[in-house]
Amino acid sequence: MEIEDRDVYQDQPTIAVLRVYSKNIDNLRKVKNINLPEQDNINVHPINFNKSEIDPSGYGNMPSQVLAMFMVFPNEAGYVEVPGVSASVSTYSNKTKIVSNKVKITVRKLPEGAPECFK
């Protein structure tokens, strides 16, 4: 999971991108059942689950593919850890659960003295 903007204000969304890497390019086609994280101090809203084209060069010459994009809205100030996203890889012989990395973001408190109409 990649989150570019890791320093945000409370209730300010940040975009997360879920990318999978595999030495075997065929395994990228078998990833299914993506489960976005759930936690009390964040709200998560999917943007899309459209798989990108497979990038054969990827990271370290390992093929990769974007599986999903979603917005993370932290609802409390401080350091917030976005839990990993899970998915399953189904082959003919078995089904394996995979989990992404966790990402820590810094959430700043909203400044005092906001106008009445500010939400």
Side-chain angles (χ1 to χ4, degrees), residues 18-92:
L18 183 64
R19 181 183 302 272
V20 66
Y21 298 89
S22 178
K23 291 179 184 177
N24 181 346
I25 200 166
D26 191 45
N27 285 338
L28 298 176
R29 295 179 182 94
K30 298 175 184 175
V31 178
K32 308 252 189 265
N33 302 325
I34 299 166
N35 295 306
L36 298 179
E38 292 181 21
Q39 192 166 286
D40 289 339
N41 58 356
I42 61 171
N43 293 318
V44 178
H45 298 281
I47 295 173
N48 75 53
F49 287 100
N50 299 332
K51 292 183 177 182
S52 71
E53 293 294 320
I54 294 173
D55 180 2
S57 60
Y59 176 77
N61 292 328
M62 195 178 327
S64 70
Q65 182 178 39
V66 172
L67 298 179
M69 293 177 66
F70 51 98
M71 291 187 297
V72 176
F73 292 85
N75 54 31
E76 67 181 40
Y79 292 102
V80 174
E81 185 173 84
V82 180
V85 177
S86 66
S88 60
V89 180
S90 299
T91 62
Y92 296 114

Side-chain angles (χ1 to χ4, degrees), residues 1-14:
M1 177 171 42
E2 303 162 355
I3 296 181
E4 208 171 293
D5 191 2
R6 295 184 187 197
D7 187 13
V8 295
Y9 283 101
Q10 188 175 339
D11 297 319
Q12 177 188 356
T14 186

